[in-house]
Amino acid sequence: DVQLLESGGGLVQPGGSLRLSCVTSGFTFSSYAMTWARQAPGKGLEWVSSISGGSGDRTYYADSVKGRFTISRDNSKNTLYLQMNSLRVDDTAVYFCANWVEGSKILFDYWGQGTLVTASS
Amino acid sequence: DVVMTQSPLSLPVTLGQPASISCRSSQNLVNSDGDTHLNWYQHRPGQSLRRLIYKVSNRDSGVPDRFSGSGSGTDFTLRISRVEAEDVGVYYCMQGTHWPPTFGQGTKVEVK
């Protein structure tokens, strides 16, 4: 079975940092592109960042997080990361990871259950 | 960015009766290959998001055939032929034709 499990969320002061992890199993991790999306309280889903499969040489970011967040992957650990710096109150959300076949235009096959990030003083 | 607009946002349903959710996009979702990348997701309480439908009308593996998708261009619909108790949750449409991918606001399906 395909499984994605996010962790690393928590309470952080505005301006602080967190690193999220998404540990995966049940599929050939290196053959899949990966993404992070988020859902703020009472709001809809928002795409945050994506990384290509293989070496992860291609990365993409929403304008709202560009320059503050960094997506990366470790194929040896089947794990996706999101380094979040300079966190703002409006970054407060449940963060989800999802996968899709590298090169496919059919996006976001499987999702994790999410990890809550709260940026508040 | 492409704006996805769902309606209704809340859908009280009677078990065994049909239900329908509409999704409209601010741009045509047909790409240069002639494909339309419109997906539907189900988010049940306490569970991961699950993709039900991809490319407008293709059911994912294991998805009951009471779920169906239709539409073209900018107007799309998810139908549940006979709602069951396990269908309670929030449903999202998502477009993947134009980058970045964008989602509808979600439709909460609950039993009357």
Side-chain angles (χ1 to χ4, degrees), chain A residues 3-108:
Chain A
Q3 293 193 15
L4 297 90
L5 183 62
E6 303 93 338
S7 63
L11 175 63
V12 62
Q13 290 195 335
S17 298
L18 276 178
R19 188 175 84 153
L20 306 183
S21 299
C22 171
V23 176
T24 73
S25 62
F27 63 99
T28 304
F29 183 70
S30 60
S31 298
Y32 280 72
M34 300 294 298
T35 202
W36 288 98
R38 67 186 179 184
Q39 185 169 31
K43 304 284 189 177
L45 287 161
E46 177 191 18
W47 169 80
V48 172
S49 180
S50 294
I51 187 168
S52 58
S55 64
D57 57 322
R58 286 170 283 126
T59 57
Y60 310 90
Y61 298 94
D63 287 344
S64 57
V65 307
K66 201 173 294 183
R68 300 187 298 122
F69 289 11
T70 302
I71 191 171
S72 63
R73 63 190 298 152
D74 185 335
N75 292 337
S76 69
K77 296 181 179 179
N78 294 336
T79 301
L80 173 73
Y81 301 101
L82 186 67
Q83 178 66 43
M84 304 187 295
N85 298 332
S86 304
L87 281 160
R88 304 171 181 166
V89 171
D90 62 0
D91 293 319
T92 295
V94 176
Y95 284 73
F96 302 94
C97 59
N99 71 350
W100 80 97
V101 175
E102 171 62 29
S104 172
K105 296 179 182 178
I106 302 172
L107 304 182
F108 308 166

